Amino acid sequence: MAAIHITDIEAAINHWRSRVPSPDGVSLAPEIRALAEVYAQMVFRREDVVEEDRLPPDALDAWHAWYSTTPDTPCIAICSTSQGDDLCKGCGRTFDEVQFWPAMGPAEKRAVWRRITLEHSAWRFNRYAERAAEGVSKAPAPAGAA
């Protein structure tokens, strides 16, 4: 089983907080309560990760529901591993990660997402994002406007 990082637990909690806000400022939705228990135990034990199989079923279900709202792949359709690179310049995944992505579980995929996000060197984080921003143009002024 793969490990889930504490930042993903926190992201899942925040997702559920926005979807099911507390009606009275005190009570929590069951999904938040389940994930918050895991989060609190991780903080108490000073753990950065928790094994997926150690999550209580209700917390795992809440985490999977959050995970299903995230992008599945970091691919930006500029794959340099197909050209022989060991590390894709477009998304930052290794050749093996690209090849075995469909067989990976959610926690494994999130671990890869975390690594490439922390490295922040793939084009998806810099050159590609800059190019996409360059393509944005201002709307033309309405006719007759000075």
Side-chain angles (χ1 to χ4, degrees), residues 1-6 9 34-61 63-64 107:
M1 278 272 154
I4 297 173
H5 197 269
I6 194 168
I9 300 292
L35 290 164
E37 178 67 28
V38 171
Y39 187 85
Q41 290 294 327
M42 291 175 76
V43 170
F44 180 76
R45 294 182 184 131
R46 298 179 185 202
E47 297 173 339
D48 291 337
V49 295
V50 60
E51 293 297 319
E52 193 174 9
D53 61 354
R54 282 187 44 214
L55 287 178
D58 52 348
L60 185 60
D61 289 345
W63 186 84
H64 276 161

Side-chain angles (χ1 to χ4, degrees), residues 18-130:
S18 67
R19 287 201 64 199
V20 190
S22 174
D24 56 11
V26 177
S27 57
L28 298 174
E31 298 87 354
I32 301 169
R33 209 172 18 258
L35 290 164
E37 178 67 28
V38 171
Y39 187 85
Q41 290 294 327
M42 291 175 76
V43 170
F44 180 76
R45 294 182 184 131
R46 298 179 185 202
E47 297 173 339
D48 291 337
V49 295
V50 60
E51 293 297 319
E52 193 174 9
D53 61 354
R54 282 187 44 214
L55 287 178
D58 52 348
L60 185 60
D61 289 345
W63 186 84
H64 276 161
W66 163 77
Y67 171 80
S68 70
T69 69
T70 64
D72 179 58
T73 178
C75 181
I76 60 169
I78 302 175
C79 189
S80 68
T81 59
S82 63
Q83 305 301 316
D85 287 346
D86 290 332
L87 190 69
C88 180
K89 290 180 179 96
C91 70
R93 292 179 293 171
T94 66
F95 176 80
D96 285 343
E97 289 166 345
V98 171
Q99 183 179 8
F100 297 114
W101 191 261
M104 288 181 173
E108 293 170 302
K109 289 179 179 182
R110 288 301 303 166
V112 173
W113 269 103
R114 177 170 168 67
R115 180 186 57 75
I116 66 172
T117 302
L118 289 173
E119 289 173 358
H120 211 265
S121 60
W123 288 353
R124 84 172 343 275
F125 300 110
N126 50 38
R127 293 184 193 158
Y128 183 75
E130 291 166 8

